[in-house]
Amino acid sequence: MTQTPNIPVRVNHASPPGEAQVQASRLRWLTRLRWLYVVGASSLAAAVSLWQPHELATYLLAAVAGLMLAYNLLFAALTNRSVPHPDAEPTTRLARLAEVQIAIDLVLLFALMHITGGAYSVLLAVVAFHLAVAASLQAPARAYFHAALATVFFAALVLFEGWGLFWQGDVLPGQRPLLPGLLGNLPFPLWFKAPPPRTWLAMSQIASFLAVGGCFFGTVRFTDAILERLRGINRRMVEANRKLSGLELTKSRFLRISSHQLRGPLAAIHTMVSAIQEVGELNPRQLDLMNKVRSRSDVMMTQLDEMLTLSTIKEDTGEAVPDQVVDVGAAVRATVANFDQEAQQKGLTLACQCDGQAKVWAWEDALETVMEHLLSNALHYTPSGGTVRVRITPGPQSVQVEIADTGIGIPTDQQDRLFHEFFRATNARQVCGGTGLGLSIVQAVVERLGGRISIASKPGEGTTVSLSLPLAQEEGNRHEAIGTRQ
Amino acid sequence: MAKKIMVVDDDPDLREATEIVLSGAGYNVVLASSAAEALEMIKTTAVDLFILDVMMETDTEGFHLAYKIRDMEEYKNTPIIMLTCIEERTGQVLDPDKAGDFLPVQGFLRKPMDAKTLKAKVAELLK
């Protein structure tokens, strides 16, 4: 009977990021996006100085790029300094930081538009994109505010350029725009050597305000609608996941309670049968039947113990972390030694190779339990004359433990179900009995230790089970190791 | 004279099975179904060894009974064996080798125990 592992009930889980942390993360994303604008403006300044030398335009573009660089460094520092607690609510400070950044971005984008050709430059598309970014970072009301701000900037730029206050000729002597205009060669007299007729100018300006302003508000509305839909889907998925977790917990609790309820009477049966065998005056036939009763009750007891173990591990009732530093090599070698006799009796070669020292955070007996299950499987399913090799390979961050056998292997179409509870491969059932819970228990224990397990197998050739466990490098490592696995 | 063993367990079948095994080995066996009943009985019956189930009406009733027995002058050196299955309820496996460091008992047997193991342990403690 495999030993029941000494695994505490309660397990540590990493908390999902809080809303404030998500808010800060999005702000960091905005500063990263702004580096692209900085690169774009700097490239434009370099291109102008090299291919279309316009001294004023070059200086203005460089100034805008320099300003963007400076305030992006400032905002990046401010955002990185505010590391919210995982449970903190979104803060007003971070929200204001986002608003200020987006407003400054809009001012500089419109400045770039004026420098590179005017209010109808293709950079209007970048402004629209930036408003979509604003909608994803802020509440809808703030995003609409920025859309209104962008419309005002656009209107001001069009008015000032159209009425001669920011005359394009001051920046670009040949009135050739650096970037193409959005409206191409439409009959609008975008570039004039002299101010256009006032009435015509006013009508075209009003039309452009309405069109571009409508685009800005439409961009924000459209982005917000998509994001709201995605948030709704996310909320439903979170709720469904919560219900699933609850059902899983209920199932584990039911398994544990029912295992306990069944174990008591079974223990009584076992003890009474043992008593009858000891003191009862039985004939050989009766003794044989009693042996069979006892054998079957032992099997049931093992099944109940494993169900109890698995449900206990899966029940999440609090926090606990591994509290011992365990020498992997020593633990594995000790377990392998326990199987020497069984291997010899079966005519198998059992070898253990350790390539270096490795220590991990673990609970007492956890590693022994994992190795017992895996070695037991390897020996059961390897025919006489075969080999079972255990190899321990320490790495920089983790230690790999491999158990490779030359056994019957696992059918290819069943390998994805190996860790399912109660699953046993069809060829395994023909070799010996079992509960189908061993690998589920092993996987649960390994994952609780912050590790990973994988299985590679070829039918008829053998199976290799690979474990990877994080090394116990420092105190904080065991909390991080367990948390990251959740 | 045959040694007297008290078995305290709330499971009547386990009490009976344990009595069969120990009676067959030549011991006198007295049975109690709870800590209260056991404490009442030992006022009038001298016992040479106690076998106590850990989890009875409460999860730790057996432990408390062990402490009370130890507090009695006439039983401060009497061997006590605990029958454990505490992992069923709490998920914590009681390690007999370590539990003896803080409990005033001489032995632990994990349920289900078999007759040979039980008799061997009793014989060892009553030597």
Side-chain angles (χ1 to χ4, degrees), chain A residues 321-323 325 361 471-481:
Chain A
V321 291
D323 56 359
V325 175
W361 287 107
L471 293 176
Q473 287 163 340
E474 56 190 30
E475 173 65 24
N477 164 247
R478 61 174 169 155
H479 295 272
E480 188 183 309

Side-chain angles (χ1 to χ4, degrees), chain A residues 41-42 45 56-68 115:
Chain A
S42 307
L56 182 58
T58 307
Y59 288 151
L60 287 174
L61 285 170
V64 168
L67 263 175
M68 271 191 175
I115 297 166

Side-chain angles (χ1 to χ4, degrees), chain A residues 285-302:
Chain A
R285 176 82 178 128
Q286 289 167 336
L287 199 59
D288 180 55
L289 286 172
M290 279 293 117
N291 284 337
K292 285 175 180 164
V293 170
R294 181 159 167 179
S295 170
R296 300 302 286 267
S297 75
D298 282 348
V299 168
M300 281 187 68
M301 191 64 74
T302 302

Side-chain angles (χ1 to χ4, degrees), chain A residues 437-481:
Chain A
L437 288 174
L439 284 180
S440 303
I441 291 172
V442 166
Q443 184 187 47
V445 172
V446 168
E447 288 180 353
R448 286 293 183 265
L449 298 178
R452 285 191 299 263
I453 180 171
S454 61
I455 298 182
S457 181
K458 281 190 181 167
E461 292 183 24
T463 300
T464 300
V465 180
S466 304
L467 309 178
S468 173
L469 296 170
L471 293 176
Q473 287 163 340
E474 56 190 30
E475 173 65 24
N477 164 247
R478 61 174 169 155
H479 295 272
E480 188 183 309

